[in-house]
Amino acid sequence: MAELRYRAGNVRNPGVHKIGIIALGSHLENHGPALPIDTDAKIGAHIAFQASLRCGAKFLGVIFPAYELDEIDHGVHVSLDTLKENVIETLNSAKKFLDIEKVVIVNSHGGNLPLMTELWEIEDKTDLSIIFNNKIISTEGPHAGSGELSMGKVLGILNEDELKNQADVNKYVEVGLHGFKQARENDPNIEEGARDVEENGVYVDEEYGQQLFNLAIDTVIFDVEKLLDF
Ligand SMILES: Nc1nc(O)c(N)c(N[C@@H]2O[C@H](COP(=O)(O)O)[C@@H](O)[C@H]2O)n1
Ligand SMILES: [Fe+2]
């Protein structure tokens, strides 16, 4: 078997070859008329892939299923157990075929946040060191709002003709999670996002979208640096 050149390419520390970056989003979820149903998966994959290009860690693609709270019905999601089992199976496959020992999971869908409580079990069943990176969720603002629209513009996945209809929350109830009363009562962050879209509507700013991406990508690279020190 050939001797692999671990120092080839833009690699500063050959230890990055033990580190994988994988995206976790949602592929089947309404984001108003201006953004596609796989917006979260494409945003997460972009962050994960760009970070892997910059730091040399392995890009492991994107997890297929996604979880969502029952009271937020805007797409097709699986149970938390099903998602957890799929993540364990996928990461074990990366470990087996790519000799990965540490992973950064880049989460780009708010509904996946409860998976953080299962991280200890995922680490236990894969024997991997894992960092769960939610940066983009904490900075992008409301669901299908100005943050996601601006990132959609950067990715070229936005339908500009539908922008004028995006904030018609009585028709597109998922925008800002406007129509999910129970979720708004349970989570002040969701209530804040809904109010923002109801009162201020939405806008697209490509430079803002690029800044959101750069900030998220920088935090993933920082996570890789942390894993290199383990
Ligand atoms: N979809 C969703 N489910 C939850 O359980 C949430 N807490 C949130 N949070 C809010 O929605 C935004 C996420 O939208 P995407 O999932 O990225 O499309 C997030 O920024 C919070 O405002 N969302
Ligand atoms: Fe989402």
Side-chain angles (χ1 to χ4, degrees):
M1 193 183 309
E3 184 76 19
L4 293 174
R5 295 190 186 85
Y6 287 98
R7 294 183 179 282
N10 68 331
V11 167
R12 286 193 309 282
N13 177 334
V16 285
H17 289 294
K18 296 285 188 189
I19 301 176
I21 306 176
I22 195 164
L24 169 63
S26 173
H27 291 80
L28 306 171
E29 184 176 298
N30 292 326
H31 277 74
L35 286 170
I37 57 173
D38 62 349
T39 291
D40 287 357
K42 286 186 171 142
I43 284 174
H46 182 71
I47 294 166
F49 181 51
Q50 292 306 319
S52 76
L53 294 179
R54 277 182 40 195
C55 73
K58 288 201 171 28
F59 174 59
L60 303 180
V62 58
I63 296 282
F64 299 156
Y67 173 71
E68 183 54 274
L69 299 174
D70 289 339
E71 59 264 30
I72 299 181
D73 179 20
H74 58 1
V76 178
H77 299 90
V78 301
S79 70
L80 194 58
D81 269 353
T82 299
L83 176 60
K84 178 177 64 181
E85 290 315 312
N86 180 272
V87 170
I88 290 168
E89 189 185 307
T90 305
L91 295 184
N92 274 328
S93 176
K95 188 171 177 222
K96 176 180 172 185
F97 292 107
L98 304 180
D99 196 21
I100 295 291
E101 292 175 359
K102 307 164 185 177
V103 172
V104 179
I105 298 177
V106 179
N107 176 42
S108 56
H109 162 58
N112 291 321
L113 290 169
L115 192 71
M116 290 180 78
T117 60
E118 310 289 334
L119 214 46
W120 67 273
E121 185 181 340
I122 298 171
E123 285 192 314
D124 184 55
K125 289 195 173 163
T126 57
D127 194 22
L128 292 168
S129 302
I130 300 174
I131 293 180
F132 200 75
N133 182 304
N134 287 299
K135 185 64 182 180
I136 198 59
I137 297 298
S138 62
T139 58
E140 69 182 2
H143 175 74
S146 303
E148 287 194 300
L149 289 165
S150 298
M151 289 188 282
K153 171 78 173 169
V154 172
L155 297 180
I157 61 176
L158 184 66
N159 175 351
E160 311 239 15
D161 299 339
E162 286 288 354
L163 264 180
K164 59 187 178 301
N165 305 316
Q166 185 75 356
D168 180 355
V169 290
N170 293 314
K171 183 171 184 184
Y172 303 107
V173 298
E174 74 276 8
V175 178
L177 302 180
H178 159 83
F180 303 112
K181 186 170 175 297
Q182 191 58 58
R184 292 177 61 166
E185 284 170 9
N186 295 348
D187 183 338
N189 179 39
I190 293 181
E191 176 58 22
E192 183 190 340
R195 290 264 180 107
D196 179 6
V197 173
E198 288 159 2
E199 290 157 19
N200 308 313
V202 296
Y203 62 86
V204 174
D205 178 336
E206 192 165 359
E207 196 179 323
Y208 172 54
Q210 197 54 62
Q211 287 166 351
L212 286 170
F213 273 133
N214 292 342
L215 177 60
I217 292 163
D218 286 346
T219 66
V220 174
I221 292 171
F222 185 61
D223 288 337
V224 170
E225 303 287 343
K226 279 189 279 187
L227 289 172
L228 277 172
D229 297 338
F230 277 15

